[in-house]
Amino acid sequence: MLHKVNKDIIILGIESSCDDTSVSISRNNQILSNIISNQKVHVKYGGVVPELASREHQKNIIPTISLALKKANISKDQIDAIAFTRGPGLMGSLLVGASFAKSLSISLEKPLIEINHMEAHVLSNCIDDNPEFPFICLTVSGGHTQIVYVKDINSITVLGETLDDSAGETFDKCAKILGLSYPGGPEIEKKGINGNKFAFQFTFPKVDGLNFSFSGLKTNFMQLIQKNIVSNQSFIKDNLEDLCASIQYTIIQILISKFNIAIDKYKPRNIAISGGVSANQEFRESIKELDNKYNLKVLIPKKEYSTDNAAMIAIAGYYKYQQGLFTDLSTSVNPRYKLKKYKTI
Ligand code: KG4
Ligand code: ZN
């Protein structure tokens, strides 16, 4: 039950779990600003370099906070609380965001709220919306692939998750094999737009229940390239569009087939997606089709709230603020911060 607060609640949210420094200002469940400073420094390494990421966060965080306040037309004194990502994520990156959040909390004398990044991805579906509960959400990011049961704002539990690589990681690794830059998901999407998604078939993982596995698919993809490149040195170049369309289609089919099982089993009122991969247009369209199939409401966050952003941290903070769920200054970041597993009562 949410505690009613009779005034607008202004939250400053800070997200710094990986390679994007983001700051957002929310008023109730609306977003006034959401500034994201992308770190281009990692592109040439084909993946995130943790030491460089924390250094970039240090450089970016003050200008990002200033810009977020300016764009929202909010002064520091108007902020009711500061929310920050406690984990999961990279230790150094998390520390930069958490330290700034703590200093702001001390200097402004405003409460501090810690947020689980995976919970925030799910709650990105509550921005500008008040979805009915319960719903189940398929969160697909670079670090995680999980189906969660959202009983209410306070109860988000894991029904199934990947046993090895995440779907986002599979996009990134396959893109690397194809010589495309990081992050690979958007690159594969762009290159595959006119490709034939049925040109190449890959083995479908056999995993029981609602868990996923993607490492076999990545190996399968690599083997296909290695085999064909022997007889045709320019195999990748000649087939780039079809390879991209086919691997994207396979990843989406694996995700949706598990989601179907979860919907059949838990019969939710709404379903949702979240996380970086939910910015993928074909994935969004395939998920939208499930509304007719199951006669339920499909929640899909705006693309700017799908990939890492602080708006979702501010929104999660707004809900915690209403319940007085504040954090002690002694709290430490948790790179392996996990959501609880779903338990049948
Ligand atoms: O949620 P996110 O921004 O960061 C993490 O919490 O990990 O997700 C990043 C992941 C990367 O693997 C990236 O390749 C993937 O999301 N991604 C996409 C797209 N945009 C980002 N994958 C497929 N299609 C996209 N358009
Ligand atoms: Zn994320």
Side-chain angles (χ1 to χ4, degrees):
M1 211 32 197
L2 292 183
H3 165 65
K4 268 252 174 285
V5 180
N6 289 325
K7 74 179 255 313
D8 283 342
I9 299 165
I10 311 277
I11 305 285
L12 182 146
I14 301 177
E15 155 59 33
S16 72
S17 63
C18 190
D19 60 338
D20 294 318
T21 318
S22 182
V23 179
S24 170
I25 311 291
S26 61
R27 179 190 289 131
N28 305 329
N29 72 341
Q30 288 175 341
I31 298 302
L32 302 181
S33 65
N34 179 40
I35 307 294
I36 303 171
S37 308
N38 298 119
Q39 301 182 357
K40 300 277 175 266
V41 66
H42 308 285
V43 173
K44 64 172 181 263
Y45 299 101
V48 178
V49 183
E51 291 78 5
L52 294 181
S54 36
R55 233 178 285 161
E56 289 293 300
H57 283 305
Q58 276 177 322
K59 266 195 258 165
N60 294 340
I61 195 146
I62 293 178
T64 312
I65 289 176
S66 307
L67 204 56
L69 287 166
K70 190 165 170 217
K71 176 125 193 268
N73 200 15
I74 290 286
S75 74
K76 278 186 272 183
D77 316 323
Q78 289 174 276
I79 295 167
D80 292 300
I82 297 111
F84 71 99
T85 307
R86 184 178 171 215
L90 301 170
M91 172 67 102
S93 295
L94 290 167
L95 276 172
V96 178
S99 312
F100 264 85
K102 286 181 189 179
S103 350
L104 273 177
S105 161
I106 296 168
S107 62
L108 301 175
E109 297 181 350
K110 299 290 175 176
L112 189 64
I113 303 173
E114 67 183 48
I115 304 293
N116 180 305
H117 181 87
M118 299 314 294
E119 228 168 60
H121 268 305
V122 175
L123 297 178
S124 64
N125 283 293
C126 299
I127 296 173
D128 300 327
D129 200 356
N130 289 304
E132 264 185 275
F133 298 97
F135 67 88
I136 58 174
C137 182
L138 171 55
T139 306
V140 199
S141 70
H144 297 77
T145 298
Q146 49 187 214
I147 301 179
V148 298
Y149 187 80
V150 190
K151 188 169 159 228
D152 55 49
I153 295 279
N154 299 311
S155 171
I156 303 180
T157 47
V158 178
L159 299 172
E161 60 194 330
T162 185
L163 303 174
D164 40 57
D165 292 351
S166 73
E169 213 173 343
T170 312
F171 269 109
D172 296 337
K173 286 181 177 169
C174 291
K176 202 168 181 177
I177 295 169
L178 295 174
L180 302 174
S181 58
Y182 178 85
E187 293 298 308
I188 289 193
E189 176 169 29
K190 257 186 264 158
K191 297 279 191 278
I193 221 148
N194 296 315
N196 172 10
K197 60 186 177 191
F198 304 114
F200 298 99
Q201 263 94 50
F202 302 101
T203 41
F204 225 72
K206 290 188 183 63
V207 186
D208 286 342
L210 294 174
N211 288 330
F212 299 87
S213 167
F214 284 99
S215 67
L217 176 61
K218 177 202 62 195
T219 310
N220 195 202
F221 186 76
M222 189 148 68
Q223 284 167 343
L224 174 102
I225 306 277
Q226 282 168 344
K227 191 173 128 223
N228 283 282
I229 223 154
V230 177
S231 53
N232 175 11
Q233 283 293 305
S234 55
F235 174 73
I236 293 181
K237 196 164 149 263
D238 295 348
N239 296 279
L240 188 60
E241 292 189 347
D242 289 351
L243 284 165
C244 287
S246 301
I247 192 69
Q248 172 175 286
Y249 176 71
T250 309
I251 295 171
I252 293 172
Q253 290 311 304
I254 294 171
L255 292 168
I256 292 195
S257 69
K258 285 286 173 175
F259 207 25
N260 279 329
I261 300 173
I263 297 167
D264 282 332
K265 183 164 178 198
Y266 291 93
K267 304 199 175 2
R269 288 195 195 180
N270 301 333
I271 55 167
I273 54 171
S274 69
V277 177
S278 67
N280 184 284
Q281 197 55 35
E282 188 174 324
F283 182 44
R284 295 165 83 88
E285 279 161 21
S286 310
I287 289 288
K288 264 186 220 147
E289 285 169 12
L290 297 180
D291 64 354
N292 272 340
K293 181 171 174 195
Y294 291 102
N295 192 23
L296 38 67
K297 188 174 165 195
V298 180
L299 307 162
I300 299 178
K302 281 188 189 162
K303 287 193 184 182
E304 62 185 296
Y305 304 141
S306 296
T307 44
D308 282 353
N309 67 88
M312 65 186 196
I313 304 299
I315 281 301
Y318 163 65
Y319 289 113
K320 291 209 171 193
Y321 184 94
Q322 286 175 297
Q323 297 159 85
L325 292 173
F326 302 122
T327 308
D328 205 75
L329 278 172
S330 64
T331 193
S332 53
V333 298
N334 184 352
R336 296 181 182 277
Y337 200 4
K338 285 200 178 6
L339 295 179
K340 290 198 181 85
K341 298 246 189 239
Y342 181 86
K343 275 201 194 97
T344 36
I345 309 147

